[in-house]
């Protein structure tokens, strides 16, 4: 009798059989919902502000952030202007790449600290050993 009940529990209406134990497992959230939950922006990085770098550079960025956390915008620095080629805010993390008019491409990776300021590291994509730390004096 127990075997018949167990076998019946493993068969859904219409004859679709499930693997043993599947009827007991909680349904998983769809992959898109899981990704969206992990990728939700925890703050808005939009606005105009400077990135104070440990190598002395202080580029100014003008950033727009959409509802999903994607970043767009422009930058200006020492004798160059740039465009944010791609970027995103995910939770309290931020990352973006600036393509500069002088041909270099800088990658910025950082996070929002408890002081509500952004800090991180940056490097030249063509010369990854050329690195600096950076921070904003603006709070988010």
């Amino acid at each position: 009798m127990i075997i018949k009940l167990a076998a019946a529990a493993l068969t859904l209406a219409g004859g679709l059989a499930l693997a043993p134990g599947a009827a007991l497992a909680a349904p998983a959230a769809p992959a898109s919902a899981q990704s969206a939950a992990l990728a939700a922006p925890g703050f808005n990085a939009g606005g105009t502000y400077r990135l104070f770098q440990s190598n002395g550079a202080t580029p100014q960025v003008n950033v727009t952030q959409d509802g999903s956390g994607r970043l767009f915008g422009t930058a200006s620095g020492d004798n160059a202007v740039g465009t944010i080629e791609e970027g995103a805010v995910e939770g309290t993390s931020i990352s973006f790449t600036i393509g500069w008019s002088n041909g270099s491409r800088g990658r910025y990776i950082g996070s929002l600290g408890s002081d509500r300021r952004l800090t991180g590291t940056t490097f030249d994509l063509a010369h990854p050993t050329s690195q600096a730390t950076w921070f904003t004096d603006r709070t988010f």
Side-chain angles (χ1 to χ4, degrees):
M1 178 72 171
I2 293 175
I3 294 173
K4 286 184 181 181
L5 289 174
L10 296 176
T11 304
L12 295 175
L16 179 63
L18 296 176
L24 301 176
S32 60
Q34 291 173 346
S35 297
L38 294 175
F43 66 98
N44 187 336
T48 300
Y49 46 94
R50 291 204 174 273
L51 306 174
F52 295 90
Q53 297 181 192
S54 61
N55 60 6
T58 56
Q60 179 172 301
V61 294
N62 184 3
V63 179
T64 302
Q65 179 177 320
D66 70 12
S68 66
R70 290 180 299 189
L71 301 176
F72 307 90
T74 58
S76 59
D78 298 332
N79 302 316
V81 293
T83 301
I84 295 177
E85 297 176 342
E86 59 82 25
V89 170
E90 296 183 46
T92 58
S93 297
I94 187 170
S95 62
F96 54 94
T97 300
I98 299 175
W100 293 99
S101 59
N102 62 10
S104 67
R105 294 176 66 227
R107 180 74 175 154
Y108 291 79
I109 301 168
S111 62
L112 183 67
S114 60
D115 61 357
R116 305 297 298 169
R117 299 178 198 285
L118 296 174
T119 61
T121 58
T122 183
F123 61 93
D124 184 322
L125 288 172
H127 305 96
T129 58
S130 177
Q131 299 182 11
T133 59
W134 62 270
F135 69 92
T136 62
D137 61 354
R138 178 189 154 192
T139 58
F140 295 85

